[in-house]
Amino acid sequence: MGYSRLSQWCYLLAFMLILFKTEGGSIPIVLIENAKAKGAVCLDGSAPAYHFQKGEGTGINNWIVHMEGGGWCDDIESCLARRNTYKGSSSKMNKTMGFSGILGSKQVSNPDFYNWNRIKIRYCDGSSFTGDVEEVDPKTNLYFRGERVWQAVIDELLAKGMNNAQNAILSGCSAGGLAAILHCDKFKSFLPATATVKCVSDAGYFIHGKDIAGGYEIENFFGRIVTTHGSAKNLPASCTSKMKPELCFFPENVAQTMQTPLFVINSAYDFWQLKNVLAPSAADRKGTFKSCKLDLTKCKPAQLETVQDFRTQFINALNIGLGNKTVNGYFIDSCYAHCQTGSPLVWLAEKSPVLNDTRIAKAVGDWYFDRAPFQKIDCPYPCNPTCVKLDSDS
């Protein structure tokens, strides 16, 4: 990375930090200590946690519940590695958090949702909030209770007024974006029948994609997550009644039977998926694809063709899941990116990514409020000049 580019990234980071601080403030963490009695705990046995900024004015009865991302743990060893970090223990989490992007409190940068009740559920279970194993091995003291964690937070929010919601969104990024899909219909079932309830998944549409070795290593990985956490019973029954539970960790197989409208925000070149679905280390043992998957500008012609084939796989999976349902929406750009709703610079700013002359925030808002449908897929990389600020070489 050259000095000029490094300077640009430092400036961008500083600007983002300023925006995060001024837009969201310091929102305190809330620990649900009484949830422990129900066995709703993080990997280490600590209490579930969330951050809550109360709605105001016209947003007083509107709710957006956003689930934090952070990958997964697929076996005892990897879960032990998370247990004593903020990804496995609420005691290790920062006591305050700033909100921005889709959770932002400034009308200018989040015009449709700025005054809603806005919540971020902290992620400390490693299973996209799906696990539920009663037994605890005394040798590891690991608790696999992600589903109970999610339920404990939802129960508390319902008691705080969400049971009277007029409008509500369940959203999330990455592993949280997947969780938003897996819990979408369940979330709607807890709310008034008169409420307008929809779900938004950011970088959570992980596909059942073929890797560069011709296999499906991602299926093996998701299978280990489901087995380790006992997730099968908490995955949508409309899917598990038809196929193996690990296949119901893939949105394309779940979204087909969802009853609640869904909006998918994703890159067709999502950098997590390029690294871990297309070219995982198990499939790229010699590391020949490493430079390409870390920086698309370094792909050789044949490698770039493989990357473009992955885009085709992604679009096919999107069509399988969402089909032609007009109630659903999607914003599929060509940026080398992962999670695009958390930063005001990407969510809604002068230089945010654009599809069809529309930025992400406007696309989601128009879709949610039925002002206009939005189902757009970007042209192939590197066609979109508004993506340049999102490209990464790390």
Side-chain angles (χ1 to χ4, degrees):
M1 181 184 292
Y3 175 79
S4 59
R5 190 172 181 187
L6 178 60
S7 298
Q8 291 172 2
W9 275 106
C10 290
Y11 175 81
L12 178 61
L13 178 60
F15 186 43
M16 289 175 66
L17 290 173
I18 291 171
L19 281 172
F20 287 168
K21 182 178 180 181
T22 58
E23 189 170 335
S26 295
I27 303 165
I29 197 168
V30 179
L31 300 178
I32 313 177
E33 293 291 351
N34 61 10
K36 292 180 180 179
K38 299 179 181 179
V41 292
C42 301
L43 283 170
D44 72 333
S46 58
Y50 66 97
H51 299 258
F52 178 25
Q53 193 163 40
K54 190 171 177 58
E56 299 176 346
T58 57
I60 194 72
N61 291 316
N62 301 335
W63 297 73
I64 180 164
V65 180
H66 185 84
M67 288 181 285
E68 185 178 37
W72 307 270
C73 57
D74 64 324
D75 55 23
I76 297 301
E77 183 180 2
S78 59
C79 290
L80 283 172
R82 293 171 72 100
R83 184 182 63 183
N84 294 321
T85 73
Y86 71 93
K87 292 183 179 182
S89 173
S90 59
S91 68
K92 304 295 183 180
M93 296 174 182
N94 291 336
K95 303 308 178 187
T96 61
M97 171 180 285
F99 282 177
S100 59
I102 196 172
L103 295 178
S105 61
K106 299 295 184 182
Q107 186 173 8
V108 66
S109 56
N110 191 27
D112 286 311
F113 311 117
Y114 75 98
N115 64 349
W116 286 30
N117 296 282
R118 285 159 289 115
I119 298 94
K120 176 171 279 191
I121 304 179
R122 300 304 302 270
Y123 183 41
C124 63
D125 66 273
S127 72
S128 285
F129 299 93
T130 62
D132 193 356
V133 177
E134 183 65 35
E135 299 78 15
V136 178
D137 187 341
K139 295 180 181 178
T140 63
N141 284 320
L142 283 172
Y143 294 80
F144 301 109
R145 306 282 179 76
E147 177 72 20
R148 297 192 206 183
V149 167
W150 183 81
Q151 189 65 59
V153 178
I154 296 300
D155 287 345
E156 179 144 320
L157 296 177
L158 290 169
K160 288 188 172 184
M162 195 169 71
N163 61 322
N164 295 315
Q166 295 175 352
N167 296 286
I169 292 174
L170 182 66
S171 69
C173 157
S174 192
L178 173 59
I181 295 173
L182 298 178
H183 292 82
C184 185
D185 284 344
K186 192 180 301 183
F187 178 71
K188 179 177 173 61
S189 72
F190 294 132
L191 300 176
T194 54
T196 299
V197 183
K198 300 183 181 182
C199 300
V200 176
S201 173
D202 177 14
Y205 205 91
F206 299 95
I207 70 167
H208 188 224
K210 182 181 293 187
D211 58 46
I212 57 175
Y216 293 88
E217 180 57 31
I218 188 64
E219 180 183 329
N220 298 330
F221 179 61
F222 279 179
R224 293 192 297 271
I225 295 169
V226 170
T227 299
T228 299
H229 292 267
S231 300
K233 58 182 173 291
N234 296 315
L235 299 175
S238 58
C239 180
T240 56
S241 63
K242 299 176 182 178
M243 58 186 72
K244 297 184 297 183
E246 56 265 35
L247 294 179
C248 296
F249 223 64
F250 291 100
E252 64 206 74
N253 296 326
V254 174
Q256 296 177 49
T257 56
M258 282 175 56
Q259 300 301 306
T260 310
L262 171 67
F263 195 99
V264 172
I265 302 161
N266 228 103
S267 169
Y269 305 88
D270 180 287
F271 67 69
W272 191 95
Q273 295 203 53
L274 291 182
K275 294 174 185 177
N276 298 283
V277 179
L278 177 63
S281 56
D284 186 28
R285 297 186 183 279
K286 295 183 179 180
T288 56
F289 219 86
K290 183 177 180 179
S291 294
C292 174
K293 67 183 181 182
L294 295 180
D295 185 346
L296 296 184
T297 65
K298 296 181 180 179
C299 294
K300 298 176 182 178
Q303 292 175 326
L304 189 56
E305 184 176 341
T306 299
V307 169
Q308 300 294 12
D309 287 343
F310 182 82
R311 172 182 180 270
T312 300
Q313 288 190 68
F314 183 90
I315 293 172
N316 289 340
L318 184 76
N319 290 333
I320 289 171
L322 301 191
N324 297 317
K325 294 181 182 178
T326 57
V327 296
N328 294 325
Y330 46 83
F331 186 109
I332 310 300
D333 59 38
S334 294
C335 308
Y336 183 69
H338 183 69
C339 288
Q340 301 181 74
T341 60
S343 165
L345 297 178
V346 183
W347 176 242
L348 184 64
E350 183 181 350
K351 295 184 178 180
S352 294
V354 172
L355 286 184
N356 198 43
D357 295 324
T358 304
R359 295 178 175 85
I360 298 173
K362 188 177 188 305
V364 174
D366 285 350
W367 165 81
Y368 180 84
F369 289 107
D370 295 323
R371 295 191 295 250
F374 197 92
Q375 296 183 338
K376 302 297 179 183
I377 298 174
D378 207 353
C379 47
Y381 171 89
C383 67
N384 191 337
T386 66
C387 283
V388 66
K389 78 197 71 57
L390 298 178
D391 289 348
S392 171
D393 61 356
S394 62

